[in-house]
């Protein structure tokens, strides 16, 4: 009986921890993309699976959005997301997005340059580490490696 109670207690604590991490995520996000980019739509679905309501805007000059966001030159990707007080550039894994909102660092946002295979929205297996960067005022610094 003690084992069953302990197992239930541990399970409950884990579920509470998981919901607390997701509770830290904003309820809404805006994803800016090119109208023909399907992988961006797939990334939006990953955010929606976390309970985030995503508005997709595909009739905007992405260069201007990236400039406004503070994305460093040469570190861009196919879409830019405004979420809470942060920007997410590209196919950043959900683990990094959750870490951003748990840590709440004083930065403009995080990004993952290019369109790496195996990231949300990009099918296939991960072939190399994902070097997620933090950025502020067009300057990049390491955030985390996954």
């Amino acid at each position: 009986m003690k084992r069953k109670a302990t197992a239930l207690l541990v399970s409950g604590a884990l579920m509470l921890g998981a919901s607390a991490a997701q509770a830290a995520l904003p309820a809404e996000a805006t994803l800016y993309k090119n109208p023909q980019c399907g992988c961006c739509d797939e990334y939006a679905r990953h955010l929606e699976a976390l309970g985030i309501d995503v508005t997709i805007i595909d009739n905007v000059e992405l260069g201007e959005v990236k400039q406004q966001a503070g994305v460093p030159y040469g570190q861009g990707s196919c879409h830019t997301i405004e979420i809470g007080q942060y920007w997410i550039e590209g196919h950043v894994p959900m683990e990094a997005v959750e870490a951003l909102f748990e840590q709440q660092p004083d930065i403009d946002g995080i990004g993952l340059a290019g369109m790496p295979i195996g990231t949300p929205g990009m099918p296939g297996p991960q072939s190399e580490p994902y070097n997620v960067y933090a950025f502020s005022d067009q300057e990049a610094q390491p955030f985390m490696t996954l």
Side-chain angles (χ1 to χ4, degrees), residues 76-77 90-93 112-131:
S77 184
H91 292 267
V92 175
L112 183 60
M115 298 166 65
I117 299 298
T119 55
M122 295 298 299
Q126 181 175 353
S127 61
E128 58 186 36
Y130 303 134
N131 295 312

Side-chain angles (χ1 to χ4, degrees), residues 61-114:
E61 174 53 49
L62 281 176
E64 291 176 13
V65 171
K66 292 176 189 316
Q67 178 88 21
Q68 176 187 349
V71 175
Y73 181 77
Q75 296 290 311
S77 184
C78 56
H79 62 261
T80 304
I81 301 165
E82 188 172 14
I83 180 169
Q85 73 270 26
Y86 294 110
W87 294 91
I88 308 294
E89 178 62 21
H91 292 267
V92 175
M94 295 302 126
E95 182 180 343
V97 173
E98 290 171 342
L100 172 67
F101 285 97
E102 288 170 8
Q103 298 171 17
Q104 297 189 11
D106 185 21
I107 59 175
D108 292 337
I110 59 174
L112 183 60

Side-chain angles (χ1 to χ4, degrees), residues 28-52:
E28 300 176 346
T30 302
L31 186 145
Y32 301 92
K33 70 178 203 73
N34 179 299
Q36 288 79 33
C37 192
C39 65
C40 301
D41 295 326
E42 289 299 319
Y43 192 89
R45 287 186 186 97
H46 284 273
L47 291 174
E48 290 168 343
L50 294 175
I52 300 168

